[in-house]
Amino acid sequence: MDLRRLNVVLMVLGLALGATVAFLVQSEESTATEAEQHGQRSLDVTRAATAQVQAFLGIDHGNVDAQAQVVLDGATGEFKQQYAEELDSLRRSARAQQSTAEATVLEVGISDIDATTASVFVAADTVVTSNATDGTSRTVPWRIQLDMVKEGDRWLTAGLQFVG
């Protein structure tokens, strides 16, 4: 009789140990998946922020409309509306000054991110030439904060501000 009880106790302990191991393995797999999802989300946000800052800062007086469309395609909400409202002024200024600016993103830092929103800081330089620079190139540093939102499978810019 004691041997039978011992076997029952061992069997119960074995089942409990098996359930615990299965839970830990499943939990570890879920954590890896969550980490992978976070890593992919961060990569997607970084790519979208880089593309948006390059489009926003880049200027070619002969190609303003196409460049502006890239910004609009990567924008949403109030930021998209404000940018669209300023296009005529941007177009006139770029053409009058014969402005060109090539943007280079130096660093991207994500300060906050979840499944649908991100706050991103971008350091970039532009090499600018225009009538105002007498045709010589001048490097201008920029520090920009982007508020990004996920719409469908794309990260779009919902807000953009220059920071010191």
Side-chain angles (χ1 to χ4, degrees):
M1 200 72 138
D2 286 343
L3 186 56
R4 191 168 194 199
R5 280 187 187 166
L6 180 62
N7 284 340
V8 169
V9 168
L10 288 175
M11 186 174 76
V12 169
L13 286 174
L15 288 173
L17 179 61
T20 301
V21 168
F23 174 77
L24 291 175
V25 167
Q26 181 182 12
S27 177
E28 188 174 308
E29 288 173 0
S30 293
T31 301
T33 300
E34 288 172 19
E36 290 169 359
Q37 288 174 347
H38 182 77
Q40 185 62 51
R41 187 169 35 244
S42 295
L43 181 61
D44 293 344
V45 166
T46 298
R47 286 179 178 156
T50 298
Q52 189 68 337
V53 167
Q54 287 174 325
F56 184 78
L57 294 177
I59 298 170
D60 178 353
H61 61 87
N63 199 19
V64 175
D65 291 330
Q67 289 176 308
Q69 191 59 52
V70 173
V71 174
L72 290 170
D73 289 346
T76 190
E78 191 175 319
F79 172 69
K80 184 174 188 171
Q81 180 182 346
Q82 288 174 346
Y83 185 80
E85 289 171 359
E86 294 298 321
L87 270 179
D88 285 336
S89 175
L90 173 65
R91 195 178 293 115
R92 281 191 308 273
S93 177
R95 289 178 180 152
Q97 289 295 317
Q98 298 292 295
S99 299
T100 61
E102 186 173 333
T104 302
V105 171
L106 306 172
E107 292 287 335
V108 176
I110 300 171
S111 70
D112 192 26
I113 188 170
D114 62 31
T116 59
T117 62
S119 180
V120 184
F121 291 89
V122 179
D125 284 346
T126 53
V127 177
V128 179
T129 57
S130 71
N131 291 342
T133 65
D134 293 326
T136 60
S137 296
R138 190 177 108 211
T139 300
V140 180
W142 301 95
R143 303 303 174 256
I144 298 172
Q145 179 182 352
L146 299 169
D147 297 320
M148 315 245 352
V149 296
K150 189 168 188 182
E151 291 185 5
D153 62 347
R154 297 180 62 215
W155 285 93
L156 303 175
T157 302
L160 184 148
Q161 61 185 346
F162 296 98
V163 294

